[in-house]
């Protein structure tokens, strides 16, 4: 019986291929199977577009196994559970055959990552290695040439503003709004009028060719938009 393969979660960073870690690039140049989830059949995976230049350097590029499962952008927990289970079992098939599998994910593997869901389902059954990546919000701060936090300041990372807004504003020195397209103009207005706000800026498509830094909140709000609020 073949020895089981290893699952390797790889954070591919915010967008610029040059921001891949050396370790991530090394693994991607040799791993036999790459899983690259995407939101629909029609859309190309952003994570795949980041690593493609590295994969294309492989001598076996045309023969390597690339699997692109659909991870729809929905909030129905039951449906999402089915998606994660199906993807996990697909990965398990390759691992059971003795092949290592790299699962690529935008940014870092531990921050709002699709990888974390399959990682949990396969934990204990297979060897797993997790390779961190540069996060979108640290890349945004670098694009702005500003620190996110200093000394004893508190950084809060928020996927979506909800009824905890007042607490977040009270106890945070810097706030990262990861999915700015979800914010309503009403909530943005509340933040702008809050006393003590020192700076608000948004970065669209950070580190990519069409990167754009905007003062305040973004009106356009493409998917890859991050807003940073400093007090």
């Amino acid at each position: 019986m073949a020895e089981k393969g290893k699952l390797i979660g790889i954070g591919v960073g915010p967008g610029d291929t040059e921001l891949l870690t050396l370790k991530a690039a090394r693994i991607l140049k040799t791993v036999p199977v790459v899983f690259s989830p995407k939101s629909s059949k029609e859309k190309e995976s952003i994570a795949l577009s980041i690593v493609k230049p590295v994969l294309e350097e492989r001598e076996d590029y045309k023969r390597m196994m690339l699997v692109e499962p659909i991870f729809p952008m929905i909030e129905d927990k039951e449906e999402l559970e089915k998606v994660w289970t199906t993807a996990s079992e697909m990965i398990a098939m390759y691992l059971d055959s003795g092949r290592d599998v790299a699962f690529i994910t935008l940014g870092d593997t531990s921050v709002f990552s699709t990888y974390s869901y399959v990682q949990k389902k396969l934990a204990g059954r297979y060897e797993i290695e997790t390779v961190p990546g540069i996060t979108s919000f640290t890349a945004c701060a670098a694009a702005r040439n500003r620190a996110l936090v200093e000394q004893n300041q508190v950084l809060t990372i928020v996927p979506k503003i909800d009824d905890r807004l007042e607490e977040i504003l009270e106890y945070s020195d810097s706030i990262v709004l990861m999915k700015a397209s979800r914010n309503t103009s009403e909530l943005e207005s509340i933040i702008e009028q809050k006393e003590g706000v020192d700076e608000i800026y948004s970065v669209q498509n950070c580190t990519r060719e069409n990167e754009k830094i905007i003062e305040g909140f973004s009106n356009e709000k493409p998917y890859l938009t991050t807003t940073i609020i400093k007090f």
Side-chain angles (χ1 to χ4, degrees):
M1 186 176 179
E3 183 179 344
K4 290 182 178 179
K6 176 169 68 173
L7 172 62
I8 309 165
I10 298 179
V12 302
D16 185 349
T17 302
E18 290 187 336
L19 292 179
L20 275 173
T21 65
L22 292 172
K23 185 170 187 176
R26 174 180 59 77
I27 293 170
L28 289 168
K29 287 178 181 178
T30 57
V31 71
V33 183
V34 174
F35 259 67
S36 174
K38 57 183 184 177
S39 59
S40 69
K41 289 181 180 179
E42 296 75 28
K43 292 185 178 180
E44 182 187 15
S45 161
I46 298 173
L48 180 59
S49 72
I50 294 169
V51 304
K52 206 165 187 179
V54 174
L55 297 178
E56 288 176 343
E57 292 177 0
R58 295 175 54 152
E59 292 183 2
D60 66 343
Y61 172 62
K62 292 184 177 179
R63 301 190 305 276
M64 63 166 282
M65 181 65 67
L66 175 64
V67 185
E68 299 183 84
I70 306 299
F71 277 55
M73 298 179 71
I74 57 176
E75 296 190 11
D76 186 314
K77 290 185 178 180
E78 286 189 13
E79 287 302 313
L80 285 172
E81 192 67 36
K82 292 177 185 176
V83 170
W84 300 331
T85 298
T86 300
S88 299
E89 292 312 311
M90 287 173 65
I91 293 171
M93 287 170 48
Y94 290 101
L95 297 175
D96 287 338
S97 71
R99 286 174 283 185
D100 291 345
V101 174
F103 188 108
I104 60 174
T105 187
L106 273 176
D108 178 66
T109 43
S110 64
V111 181
F112 306 122
S113 164
T114 51
Y115 161 72
S116 65
Y117 303 112
V118 297
Q119 178 191 27
K120 285 188 288 188
K121 289 186 176 295
L122 297 173
R125 295 167 55 188
Y126 303 95
E127 181 183 357
I128 297 177
E129 179 180 3
T130 302
V131 180
I134 293 174
T135 64
S136 61
F137 52 89
T138 53
C140 290
R144 183 73 166 182
N145 288 315
R146 299 282 181 86
L148 272 175
V149 278
E150 297 174 291
Q151 297 182 342
N152 297 322
Q153 292 179 331
V154 175
L155 173 66
T156 304
I157 304 167
V158 184
K160 183 180 180 182
I161 298 176
D162 55 24
D163 56 9
R164 294 170 289 181
L165 176 62
E166 285 300 323
E167 286 185 72
I168 292 169
L169 294 176
E170 182 177 353
Y171 294 107
S172 304
D173 297 296
S174 293
I175 298 173
V176 173
L177 300 180
M178 289 284 291
K179 299 177 181 178
S181 58
R182 294 181 175 185
N183 303 332
T184 65
S185 57
E186 181 182 358
L187 287 172
E188 290 175 357
S189 178
I190 291 171
I191 293 172
E192 289 175 325
Q193 293 172 26
K194 185 77 175 177
E195 289 186 11
V197 175
D198 181 55
E199 181 181 31
I200 300 174
Y201 65 93
S202 301
V203 184
Q204 298 174 181
N205 303 307
C206 189
T207 77
R208 296 171 70 84
E209 290 182 359
N210 56 344
E211 175 186 278
K212 187 176 181 181
I213 301 175
I214 298 163
E215 300 298 329
F217 291 97
S218 167
N219 293 322
E220 301 164 344
K221 296 182 181 178
Y223 176 67
L224 294 180
T225 301
T226 299
T227 297
I228 294 174
I229 304 155
K230 292 180 68 68
F231 294 88

